[in-house]
Amino acid sequence: MIANIKITESKILSDNWYILRKITYEYLKKDGTTMTQSREAYDRGNGATILLYNTEQKTVILTRQFRLPTFINGNETGLMIEACAGLLDKDNAEDCIRRETEEETGYKITDVRKIFEAYMSPGSVTEILHFFIAEYAKEMKVSEGGGLDHEEENIEVLELYISEAMRMVASGEVKDAKTIMLLQYIKLHGIL
């Protein structure tokens, strides 16, 4: 494969929203020759996501919000159904997901369980996403959720039967990778 990777240049192309860099690097190929390549990498920090579930009701909490990149790539409304998620913003992953859960869904959760972490688009984005699940109950609802006004999130909170959520994955109504991974985890592990 490759060895002795050395970054020779890092140039910021944009720092408008997050940071887009052009990275030039060298590496030693298996045949002993040195190769130089340039790639762009988008650094938006690391994040966390969570699927709230209720075993008694067989329901999950998802959100719906506008996502510009999907709109410009063929999603007619730009609306995406997703699991709650957010950037770490220098918090640890568990603190982040507790905060984001309350802001977005209105639920103040108690026990969260980390199930894995993954690079979501390793060819272009540096982000590692930490995946969590947590059980919720009606009495944990402390607000309407919907996100923070000053962040203009405009999030709709959805409570769906797990069977309906899985049908929406199959029909293409749910196209968000993190959400599909979390729903499949819940089903594969017999949680719902």
Side-chain angles (χ1 to χ4, degrees):
M1 292 297 296
I2 67 171
N4 300 333
I5 302 163
K6 179 182 167 191
I7 294 176
T8 59
E9 184 180 11
S10 178
K11 180 180 176 184
I12 294 178
L13 301 179
S14 174
D15 65 355
N16 186 36
W17 189 251
Y18 298 110
I19 299 173
L20 177 63
R21 287 187 175 91
K22 181 178 181 181
I23 308 287
T24 303
Y25 59 100
E26 297 176 345
Y27 60 89
L28 190 61
K29 291 173 52 175
K30 191 167 125 178
D31 67 4
T33 60
T34 300
M35 178 69 138
T36 300
Q37 290 185 321
S38 291
R39 296 288 185 268
E40 292 177 4
Y42 192 55
D43 184 355
R44 52 182 305 248
N46 294 325
T49 185
I50 191 166
L51 182 63
L52 301 182
Y53 65 91
N54 183 296
T55 51
E56 187 177 309
Q57 297 177 170
K58 304 251 184 275
T59 54
V60 294
I61 298 293
L62 297 176
T63 65
R64 181 176 11 233
Q65 62 185 305
F66 178 78
R67 297 297 196 185
L68 177 65
T70 74
F71 181 75
I72 61 176
N73 193 24
N75 180 358
E76 201 171 283
T77 65
L79 295 175
M80 292 289 290
I81 296 173
E82 305 177 37
C84 172
L87 294 176
L88 299 188
D89 296 330
K90 300 186 183 187
D91 279 342
N92 69 49
E94 189 172 316
D95 289 343
C96 166
I97 206 57
R98 288 178 188 278
R99 179 189 73 244
E100 290 292 332
T101 300
E102 191 169 337
E103 289 173 7
E104 291 188 9
T105 71
Y107 285 93
K108 188 173 185 71
I109 53 175
T110 52
D111 298 319
V112 298
R113 185 173 74 167
K114 185 171 180 181
I115 53 175
F116 53 80
E117 56 188 59
Y119 289 98
M120 296 302 290
S121 190
S124 59
V125 181
T126 61
E127 178 184 30
I128 293 174
L129 193 60
H130 302 264
F131 287 74
F132 292 88
I133 58 173
E135 189 148 15
Y136 77 95
K138 294 288 185 202
E139 57 271 9
M140 294 176 175
K141 186 89 167 159
V142 295
S143 74
E144 291 306 307
L148 299 176
D149 287 339
H150 74 274
E151 291 182 6
E152 296 291 330
E153 291 181 300
N154 302 306
I155 297 168
E156 179 185 359
V157 180
L158 307 172
E159 184 175 39
L160 302 169
Y161 289 106
I162 186 65
S163 57
E164 177 69 1
M166 296 307 291
R167 184 201 63 74
M168 293 169 81
V169 170
S171 72
E173 292 169 81
V174 172
K175 289 186 177 180
D176 176 64
K178 68 184 176 300
T179 305
I180 294 168
M181 292 165 72
L182 285 164
L183 289 168
Q184 288 177 339
Y185 182 92
I186 291 284
K187 290 302 284 181
L188 286 171
H189 289 84
I191 295 169
L192 285 184

